[in-house]
PDB file of all heavy atoms in Angstrom:
ATOM      1  N   ASP B   4     -13.577  28.859  21.210  1.00 60.00           N
ATOM      2  CA  ASP B   4     -13.304  28.305  22.526  1.00 60.00           C
ATOM      3  C   ASP B   4     -12.083  28.901  23.233  1.00 60.00           C
ATOM      4  O   ASP B   4     -11.606  28.365  24.210  1.00 60.00           O
ATOM      5  CB  ASP B   4     -13.185  26.772  22.465  1.00 60.00           C
ATOM      6  CG  ASP B   4     -12.381  26.305  21.276  1.00 60.00           C
ATOM      7  OD1 ASP B   4     -11.877  27.177  20.540  1.00 60.00           O
ATOM      8  OD2 ASP B   4     -12.252  25.091  21.088  1.00 60.00           O
ATOM      9  N   ARG B  85      -5.264  12.738   4.937  1.00 97.00           N
ATOM     10  CA  ARG B  85      -4.192  11.788   5.274  1.00 97.00           C
ATOM     11  C   ARG B  85      -4.598  10.944   6.471  1.00 97.00           C
ATOM     12  O   ARG B  85      -4.342   9.745   6.531  1.00 97.00           O
ATOM     13  CB  ARG B  85      -2.885  12.544   5.605  1.00 97.00           C
ATOM     14  CG  ARG B  85      -2.112  12.982   4.387  1.00 97.00           C
ATOM     15  CD  ARG B  85      -0.999  13.931   4.787  1.00 97.00           C
ATOM     16  NE  ARG B  85      -1.590  15.219   5.171  1.00 97.00           N
ATOM     17  CZ  ARG B  85      -1.200  16.397   4.710  1.00 97.00           C
ATOM     18  NH1 ARG B  85      -0.202  16.462   3.878  1.00 97.00           N
ATOM     19  NH2 ARG B  85      -1.784  17.507   5.077  1.00 97.00           N
ATOM     20  N   ALA B  89      -5.279   7.031   6.476  1.00 97.00           N
ATOM     21  CA  ALA B  89      -4.436   6.235   7.374  1.00 97.00           C
ATOM     22  C   ALA B  89      -5.278   5.387   8.316  1.00 97.00           C
ATOM     23  O   ALA B  89      -4.977   4.215   8.549  1.00 97.00           O
ATOM     24  CB  ALA B  89      -3.499   7.144   8.161  1.00 97.00           C
ATOM     25  N   LYS B  96      -8.230  -1.392  11.269  1.00 94.00           N
ATOM     26  CA  LYS B  96      -8.974  -0.396  10.512  1.00 94.00           C
ATOM     27  C   LYS B  96     -10.113   0.221  11.311  1.00 94.00           C
ATOM     28  O   LYS B  96     -10.791  -0.458  12.082  1.00 94.00           O
ATOM     29  CB  LYS B  96      -9.516  -1.021   9.230  1.00 94.00           C
ATOM     30  CG  LYS B  96      -8.385  -1.438   8.313  1.00 94.00           C
ATOM     31  CD  LYS B  96      -8.847  -2.103   7.044  1.00 94.00           C
ATOM     32  CE  LYS B  96      -7.673  -2.352   6.112  1.00 94.00           C
ATOM     33  NZ  LYS B  96      -6.517  -3.014   6.742  1.00 94.00           N
ATOM     34  N   SER B 103     -16.371   9.303  12.451  1.00 98.00           N
ATOM     35  CA  SER B 103     -17.369  10.362  12.616  1.00 98.00           C
ATOM     36  C   SER B 103     -17.851  10.439  14.059  1.00 98.00           C
ATOM     37  O   SER B 103     -17.920  11.525  14.642  1.00 98.00           O
ATOM     38  CB  SER B 103     -18.566  10.105  11.699  1.00 98.00           C
ATOM     39  OG  SER B 103     -18.146   9.980  10.363  1.00 98.00           O
ATOM     40  N   GLY B 109     -15.565  14.055  20.408  1.00 98.00           N
ATOM     41  CA  GLY B 109     -14.432  14.930  20.720  1.00 98.00           C
ATOM     42  C   GLY B 109     -14.876  16.381  20.856  1.00 98.00           C
ATOM     43  O   GLY B 109     -14.415  17.102  21.744  1.00 98.00           O
ATOM     44  N   GLU B 123     -28.446  19.294  26.498  1.00 97.00           N
ATOM     45  CA  GLU B 123     -29.124  18.694  25.346  1.00 97.00           C
ATOM     46  C   GLU B 123     -28.185  18.731  24.137  1.00 97.00           C
ATOM     47  O   GLU B 123     -27.466  19.703  23.938  1.00 97.00           O
ATOM     48  CB  GLU B 123     -30.381  19.497  24.979  1.00 97.00           C
ATOM     49  CG  GLU B 123     -31.492  19.422  25.998  1.00 97.00           C
ATOM     50  CD  GLU B 123     -32.638  20.369  25.634  1.00 97.00           C
ATOM     51  OE1 GLU B 123     -32.771  20.732  24.440  1.00 97.00           O
ATOM     52  OE2 GLU B 123     -33.373  20.771  26.547  1.00 97.00           O
ATOM     53  N   GLY B 163     -27.118  25.520  12.166  1.00 95.00           N
ATOM     54  CA  GLY B 163     -25.972  26.408  12.438  1.00 95.00           C
ATOM     55  C   GLY B 163     -24.676  25.639  12.392  1.00 95.00           C
ATOM     56  O   GLY B 163     -23.696  26.070  11.767  1.00 95.00           O
ATOM     57  N   PRO B 197     -16.883  12.675  -5.815  1.00 95.00           N
ATOM     58  CA  PRO B 197     -16.471  11.771  -6.900  1.00 95.00           C
ATOM     59  C   PRO B 197     -17.219  12.007  -8.218  1.00 95.00           C
ATOM     60  O   PRO B 197     -16.687  11.734  -9.287  1.00 95.00           O
ATOM     61  CB  PRO B 197     -16.799  10.375  -6.358  1.00 95.00           C
ATOM     62  CG  PRO B 197     -16.848  10.526  -4.882  1.00 95.00           C
ATOM     63  CD  PRO B 197     -17.306  11.940  -4.621  1.00 95.00           C
ATOM     64  N   ASP B 199     -18.289  14.962  -9.387  1.00 96.00           N
ATOM     65  CA  ASP B 199     -18.009  16.280  -9.953  1.00 96.00           C
ATOM     66  C   ASP B 199     -17.013  16.152 -11.118  1.00 96.00           C
ATOM     67  O   ASP B 199     -15.913  15.623 -10.943  1.00 96.00           O
ATOM     68  CB  ASP B 199     -17.420  17.161  -8.836  1.00 96.00           C
ATOM     69  CG  ASP B 199     -17.141  18.587  -9.296  1.00 96.00           C
ATOM     70  OD1 ASP B 199     -16.893  18.788 -10.494  1.00 96.00           O
ATOM     71  OD2 ASP B 199     -17.150  19.486  -8.437  1.00 96.00           O
ATOM     72  N   LEU B 231      -6.552   3.336  -9.464  1.00 94.00           N
ATOM     73  CA  LEU B 231      -5.191   2.796  -9.354  1.00 94.00           C
ATOM     74  C   LEU B 231      -5.076   1.358  -9.839  1.00 94.00           C
ATOM     75  O   LEU B 231      -3.982   0.792  -9.838  1.00 94.00           O
ATOM     76  CB  LEU B 231      -4.698   2.911  -7.903  1.00 94.00           C
ATOM     77  CG  LEU B 231      -4.532   4.359  -7.420  1.00 94.00           C
ATOM     78  CD1 LEU B 231      -4.022   4.406  -5.995  1.00 94.00           C
ATOM     79  CD2 LEU B 231      -3.590   5.137  -8.328  1.00 94.00           C
ATOM     80  N   THR B 292      22.760 -17.284  -2.871  1.00 72.00           N
ATOM     81  CA  THR B 292      23.880 -17.499  -3.794  1.00 72.00           C
ATOM     82  C   THR B 292      23.538 -16.924  -5.158  1.00 72.00           C
ATOM     83  O   THR B 292      24.385 -16.798  -6.019  1.00 72.00           O
ATOM     84  CB  THR B 292      24.184 -19.001  -3.924  1.00 72.00           C
ATOM     85  OG1 THR B 292      22.978 -19.670  -4.252  1.00 72.00           O
ATOM     86  CG2 THR B 292      24.740 -19.554  -2.631  1.00 72.00           C
TER      87      THR B 292
END
Side-chain angles (χ1 to χ4, degrees):
Chain B
D4 43 3
R85 279 169 288 230
K96 295 178 174 50
S103 304
E123 292 174 23
D199 182 332
L231 295 181
T292 52

